[in-house]
């Protein structure tokens, strides 16, 4: 028997519904998969942001601890306050040389008197002088004559201060370098942005700073950098105190500034009509008009 049109359309509708149901299932699975991937991407990005924020906070805390070390620096040693000058070294060396010349001359005259080359009384006086000069050195009496034993003391003091300064800077710089890690303080002190300070920071980053500290001018630049960095750190602390004070008050500084500007404008507005009235009164009153020549 021939199939009826209704029986032929029924399987087609069933297959279409099945196909539509399968498509809906696929779409729902795809939507869930997209949501899962989006959630995973958001979680991954959130974890990355958290790690970056934690690393930023760690670096900031480490940098603040380095900033705080500026207040405990031995600036007397960095500035070489007790370092002997060349003039002091020269004066001490000249006094020591004169002492040796005087001792040698007295001994020469004494020996010459023994050989009957000079009169005995000259030799006696020279011998007494030589004995006194020898006592100032051999018997430890040179401590009563600072100008005589000052030269070796100043030379040893120079060597000691240089050695202590280099060792102190080596301890400050460490393995990671100190100057280039506190260089962000240039934001609060523009003087740190000069060329010689940039050069010091670059050498600190490249771990070649100690090898380039050869002269007193180089150590002086290092000391000046520390002083300027300390000023920048104090400026940072002052700024934080001011910001904390403003935040602790119940007002907005921008609103206050706008109100101050409005008050200034309102204060200046009534002055203009008063000036115009004054000018008009001066024009009406002939007594206020200066006479013509």
């Amino acid at each position: 028997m021939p199939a009826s049109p209704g029986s032929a359309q029924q399987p087609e509708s069933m297959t279409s519904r099945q196909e539509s149901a399968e498509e809906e299932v696929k779409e729902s699975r795809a939507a869930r998969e997209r949501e899962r991937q989006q959630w995973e991407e958001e979680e991954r990005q959130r974890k990355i942001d958290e790690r970056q924020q934690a690393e930023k906070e760690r670096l900031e805390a480490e940098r603040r601890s380095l900033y705080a070390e500026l207040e405990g620096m031995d600036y007397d040693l960095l500035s070489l306050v007790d370092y002997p000058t060349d003039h002091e070294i020269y004066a001490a060396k000249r006094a020591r040389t004169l002492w040796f010349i005087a001792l040698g001359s007295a001994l020469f005259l004494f020996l010459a008197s023994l050989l009957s080359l000079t009169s005995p009384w000259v030799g006696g006086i020279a011998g007494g002088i030589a004995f006194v000069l020898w006592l100032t050195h051999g018997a430890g009496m040179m401590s009563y004559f600072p100008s005589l034993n000052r030269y070796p003391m100043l030379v040893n003091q120079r060597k000691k201060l240089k050695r202590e300064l280099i060792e102190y800077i080596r301890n400050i710089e460490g393995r990671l370098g100190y100057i280039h890690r506190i260089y962000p303080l240039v934001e609060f002190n523009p003087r740190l942005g000069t060329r010689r300070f940039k050069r010091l920071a670059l050498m600190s980053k490249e771990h070649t700073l100690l090898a380039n500290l050869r002269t007193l001018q180089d150590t002086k630049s290092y000391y000046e950098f520390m002083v300027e960095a300390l000023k920048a750190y104090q400026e940072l602390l002052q700024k934080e105190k001011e910001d904390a004070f403003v935040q602790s008050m119940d007002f907005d500084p921008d609103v206050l500034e706008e109100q101050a500007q409005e008050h200034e404008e309102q204060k200046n507005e009534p002055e203009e009509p008063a000036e115009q009235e004054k000018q008009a009164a001066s024009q009406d009153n002939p007594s206020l008009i200066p006479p013509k020549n």
Side-chain angles (χ1 to χ4, degrees):
M1 295 179 62
S4 62
S7 60
Q9 292 177 357
Q10 186 175 4
E12 293 178 358
S13 61
M14 290 292 291
T15 55
S16 63
R17 283 198 298 271
Q18 290 178 357
E19 291 177 355
S20 61
E22 291 177 357
E23 290 178 357
E24 291 178 357
V25 170
K26 291 180 180 179
E27 290 178 358
S28 62
R29 289 179 179 177
R32 287 195 299 271
E33 184 66 20
R34 287 193 299 270
E35 292 178 357
R36 185 182 64 81
Q37 292 178 356
Q38 184 178 0
W39 179 80
E40 290 179 353
E41 182 66 22
E42 292 176 355
E43 286 294 318
R44 186 178 67 85
Q45 188 63 33
R46 184 179 62 81
K47 291 180 180 180
I48 292 174
D49 295 340
E50 289 179 355
R51 285 195 297 267
Q52 290 178 352
Q53 183 66 23
E55 182 67 16
K56 184 178 180 181
E57 292 177 356
R58 185 188 68 81
L59 292 175
E60 183 63 23
E62 182 180 0
R63 191 177 294 115
R64 292 304 296 266
S65 64
L66 293 175
Y67 294 165
E69 292 179 3
L70 289 169
E71 296 180 342
M73 293 289 178
D74 190 356
Y75 292 97
D76 292 337
L77 179 58
L78 290 174
S79 62
L80 295 176
V81 175
D82 300 328
Y83 192 80
T85 62
D86 294 337
H87 177 71
E88 293 175 348
I89 293 289
Y90 174 74
K93 186 177 181 180
R94 182 177 58 183
R96 186 167 175 265
T97 303
L98 292 175
W99 182 86
F100 279 110
I101 291 174
L103 179 62
S105 301
L107 289 176
F108 175 76
L109 293 175
F110 178 74
L111 294 175
S113 67
L114 293 178
L115 298 175
S116 300
L117 298 176
T118 59
S119 58
W121 65 272
V122 174
I125 295 174
I129 294 174
F131 180 72
V132 172
L133 291 175
W134 177 81
L135 282 178
T136 58
H137 184 273
M141 293 179 62
M142 286 190 71
S143 59
Y144 298 100
F145 303 92
S147 61
L148 300 180
N149 65 343
R150 195 179 181 188
Y151 177 73
M153 182 186 67
L154 293 178
V155 172
N156 293 331
Q157 186 178 358
R158 268 193 170 188
K159 294 180 180 178
K160 180 182 178 182
L161 286 176
K162 285 182 180 180
R163 184 170 59 252
E164 291 179 355
L165 178 61
I166 294 300
E167 187 65 25
Y168 186 67
I169 293 177
R170 182 180 289 109
N171 294 333
I172 291 175
E173 290 297 314
R175 293 180 300 173
L176 301 177
Y178 182 77
I179 284 184
H180 83 278
R181 297 167 70 187
I182 65 172
Y183 194 74
L185 286 173
V186 69
E187 180 182 354
F188 303 96
N189 190 354
R191 292 192 62 184
L192 290 174
T194 58
R195 184 175 180 181
R196 60 185 181 127
F197 290 155
K198 288 180 180 179
R199 179 172 171 268
L200 286 176
L202 181 60
M203 288 189 296
S204 175
K205 185 177 181 180
E206 295 176 351
H207 306 289
T208 59
L209 181 60
L210 292 174
N212 289 279
L213 292 178
R214 300 175 181 176
T215 62
L216 293 178
Q217 187 64 32
D218 296 333
T219 57
K220 183 180 179 181
S221 298
Y222 191 91
Y223 162 72
E224 291 176 354
F225 182 94
M226 289 297 180
V227 172
E228 296 299 333
L230 178 61
K231 293 180 181 178
Y233 178 58
Q234 293 174 351
E235 183 66 23
L236 171 62
L237 295 179
Q238 184 66 25
K239 182 177 180 300
E240 290 179 349
K241 288 181 181 179
E242 293 173 356
D243 295 341
F245 171 74
V246 172
Q247 291 178 1
S248 64
M249 306 300 291
D250 296 333
F251 58 79
D252 189 356
D254 296 333
V255 175
L256 286 180
E257 185 176 359
E258 293 178 357
Q259 292 178 357
Q261 292 178 356
E262 292 178 355
H263 180 70
E264 290 293 334
E265 292 176 356
Q266 292 177 359
K267 185 178 179 181
N268 294 330
E269 284 178 358
E271 293 180 357
E272 295 179 356
E275 291 179 356
Q276 293 177 359
E277 293 177 358
K278 186 176 180 181
Q279 292 178 359
S282 62
Q283 291 177 0
D284 296 337
N285 191 358
S287 62
L288 298 178
I289 300 175
K292 296 182 180 180
N293 294 328

